[in-house]
Amino acid sequence: MSENAIVRVSDVMSTDVVMVDGLVTVYDAVRAMRARGVAALIVNKRDADDEYGMVLLSDISKKVLAMDRSPKRVNLYEIMAKPVICVRAAMDIRYCARLFNNFGLNYAPVVENEQIVGIVGTAEIALHHFPDDPH
């Protein structure tokens, strides 16, 4: 690939997005995360005027486990980040990396035509820049 080729978020994002309702318990959310092998959940909008939310495994660790709260009694809406910063699928990953740096993000939902089509994280962005072949 040419050094000048633009790599888009859509080229590195994961399309395995787990969307859940905010009323789901942390216990059930962790089970879903484990089953799908993901570290982030997108919390669906309640209606057209609402915004998406997001819950990371690190949120669960900090806001539930570290606070000695029961995962079966805590709902995702209590610990989610909302609204979340979304990135466009067509965004150059260099700008996505800068956005993550500027706002202290590790993950962001990827949108196209107002719909979530994937999720991108710092790992996907960084791994893209270090190909398997060192030559």
Side-chain angles (χ1 to χ4, degrees), residues 7-9 11-13 93-94 96-98 100 105-106 120-132:
V7 178
R8 310 267 179 213
V9 167
D11 297 327
V12 300
M13 72 182 187
I93 63 168
R94 294 173 297 177
C96 186
R98 289 179 196 167
F100 278 24
L105 304 175
N106 288 311
V120 67
T122 53
E124 290 87 2
I125 294 169
L127 289 173
H128 178 78
H129 287 288
F130 296 96
D132 292 335

Side-chain angles (χ1 to χ4, degrees), residues 22 24 26 55 63 69 73-81:
V24 168
V26 168
V55 175
K63 298 174 182 177
R69 297 173 73 188
R73 296 181 56 109
V74 177
N75 299 95
L76 291 184
Y77 74 84
E78 298 177 65
I79 65 166
M80 69 182 172

Side-chain angles (χ1 to χ4, degrees), residues 22-39:
L23 292 174
V24 168
T25 66
V26 168
Y27 178 82
D28 290 331
V30 170
R31 289 179 56 190
M33 293 169 96
R34 186 178 288 134
R36 293 282 290 275
V38 298

Side-chain angles (χ1 to χ4, degrees), residues 81-92:
K82 183 178 178 176
V84 292
I85 296 174
C86 296
V87 297
R88 293 179 307 106
M91 181 184 280
D92 184 324

Side-chain angles (χ1 to χ4, degrees), residues 3-129:
E3 296 254 348
N4 296 329
I6 294 176
V7 178
R8 310 267 179 213
V9 167
S10 60
D11 297 327
V12 300
M13 72 182 187
S14 169
T15 57
D16 190 15
V17 179
V18 181
M19 301 200 53
V20 296
D21 187 272
L23 292 174
V24 168
T25 66
V26 168
Y27 178 82
D28 290 331
V30 170
R31 289 179 56 190
M33 293 169 96
R34 186 178 288 134
R36 293 282 290 275
V38 298
L41 296 173
I42 303 298
V43 179
N44 237 332
K45 295 179 177 186
R46 291 174 296 181
D47 56 53
D49 295 317
D50 199 13
E51 296 297 328
Y52 291 107
M54 187 163 51
V55 175
L56 308 177
L57 282 173
S58 59
D59 295 324
I60 292 169
S61 180
K62 293 173 189 173
K63 298 174 182 177
V64 179
L65 300 176
M67 304 304 284
D68 201 26
R69 297 173 73 188
S70 171
K72 290 184 178 181
R73 296 181 56 109
V74 177
N75 299 95
L76 291 184
Y77 74 84
E78 298 177 65
I79 65 166
M80 69 182 172
K82 183 178 178 176
V84 292
I85 296 174
C86 296
V87 297
R88 293 179 307 106
M91 181 184 280
D92 184 324
I93 63 168
R94 294 173 297 177
Y95 292 122
C96 186
R98 289 179 196 167
L99 181 76
F100 278 24
N101 185 54
N102 289 345
F103 291 95
L105 304 175
N106 288 311
Y107 290 93
V110 180
V111 294
E112 192 169 52
N113 300 322
E114 302 288 325
Q115 297 296 315
I116 292 184
V117 295
I119 190 163
V120 67
T122 53
E124 290 87 2
I125 294 169
L127 289 173
H128 178 78
H129 287 288

